[in-house]
Amino acid sequence: MPVDLPPGIEEYVEAHTTPVPDFMRALAEETSGLPGAGMLSGPVEGRFLEVLAWATRAELAVDVGNSALSMAAGLVDGGRVITCDVNAETLAIARRSFERSPYADRIEVREGPALDTIASLDGPIDLAFIDADKTNYRNYYEAILPKLADRGLIAVDNTLWAGQVLDDADTSADTVAIRAFNDHVARDQRVVAVQLTVRDGVTLIRKA
């Protein structure tokens, strides 16, 4: 049965999630005015990714988005997260935030198209987070899946797209791409997936 959540529930959830450290709050404040800032993972989703990294005992994580710090916090000793970006401005901010954190030695920045970075990795990938250009979601997924560890996870953000996935009249490129991606994963017999109502929708995917 669908649950109609009352107003204020997101604030309640955040209040009952372990607060993020100061350097994470500083990063959120520094990037709040940038284009696409609304796509940044909030404190709840950040902690969620940290717990996923911890639970999978991730040694190699891949961040196709903006959550390297959250993932780095949950890695095993000696683990690393490779973060991909093509935007020099956001990369400069990210590098500064990494240096302010305790996890600088766990994060490797790759400037350039994420598909090129993924292609260069041998794997196995223990945890991957996809939160980038929506029209490439399926391409990122297909590039990562063959390199995913047997007990690895792919987490994909924005898969509810503010509910627009239900609006057939919305034919914008991003909405169509997310809807098609969701349908593709649901039909993919290579994987087991669960779509969660965390923030704007997070789909977790493992190999079948």
Side-chain angles (χ1 to χ4, degrees), residues 60-65 80-87 91 95 98 107-122:
L60 175 60
V62 176
D63 173 38
V64 187
R80 62 181 176 138
V81 55
I82 296 173
T83 185
C84 321
D85 204 331
V86 294
N87 187 310
L91 274 176
R95 285 190 173 99
F98 299 158
I107 302 173
E108 180 180 339
V109 177
R110 300 278 186 96
E111 184 170 358
L115 288 172
D116 292 347
T117 295
I118 296 166
S120 72
L121 301 177
D122 293 328

Side-chain angles (χ1 to χ4, degrees), residues 60-63 71 125-130 144 148 153-156:
L60 175 60
V62 176
D63 173 38
M71 299 166 79
I125 297 169
D126 299 300
L127 179 63
F129 181 55
I130 300 174
I144 292 167
L148 192 66
L153 287 174
I154 301 173
V156 187

Side-chain angles (χ1 to χ4, degrees), residues 48 52 156 159-160 193-204:
F48 180 65
L52 289 181
V156 187
T159 55
L160 293 178
V194 57
Q195 191 171 46
L196 306 174
T197 54
V198 176
R199 206 165 182 247
D200 191 30
V202 178
T203 298
L204 294 182

Side-chain angles (χ1 to χ4, degrees), residues 22-167:
D22 290 342
F23 63 84
M24 293 286 286
R25 285 195 294 271
L27 174 60
E29 291 171 4
E30 187 173 4
T31 57
S32 62
L34 293 176
M39 294 176 64
L40 293 173
S41 299
V44 173
E45 191 171 2
R47 285 296 187 190
F48 180 65
L49 290 171
E50 177 186 340
V51 170
L52 289 181
W54 178 86
T56 57
R57 298 189 57 80
E59 296 181 20
L60 175 60
V62 176
D63 173 38
V64 187
N66 43 53
S67 296
L69 276 174
S70 297
M71 299 166 79
L75 297 176
V76 298
D77 290 342
R80 62 181 176 138
V81 55
I82 296 173
T83 185
C84 321
D85 204 331
V86 294
N87 187 310
E89 181 181 6
T90 56
L91 274 176
I93 295 172
R95 285 190 173 99
R96 290 197 297 272
S97 68
F98 299 158
E99 290 302 321
R100 289 195 295 261
S101 80
Y103 309 120
D105 61 339
R106 299 183 179 188
I107 302 173
E108 180 180 339
V109 177
R110 300 278 186 96
E111 184 170 358
L115 288 172
D116 292 347
T117 295
I118 296 166
S120 72
L121 301 177
D122 293 328
I125 297 169
D126 299 300
L127 179 63
F129 181 55
I130 300 174
D131 180 22
D133 49 315
K134 310 311 173 191
T135 53
N136 258 323
Y137 264 27
R138 182 168 173 174
N139 292 330
Y140 297 137
Y141 168 74
E142 291 293 347
I144 292 167
L145 186 58
K147 301 185 179 190
L148 192 66
D150 288 342
R151 297 190 64 84
L153 287 174
I154 301 173
V156 187
D157 200 16
N158 302 119
T159 55
L160 293 178
W161 205 230
Q164 291 303 107
V165 289
L166 298 176
D167 184 2

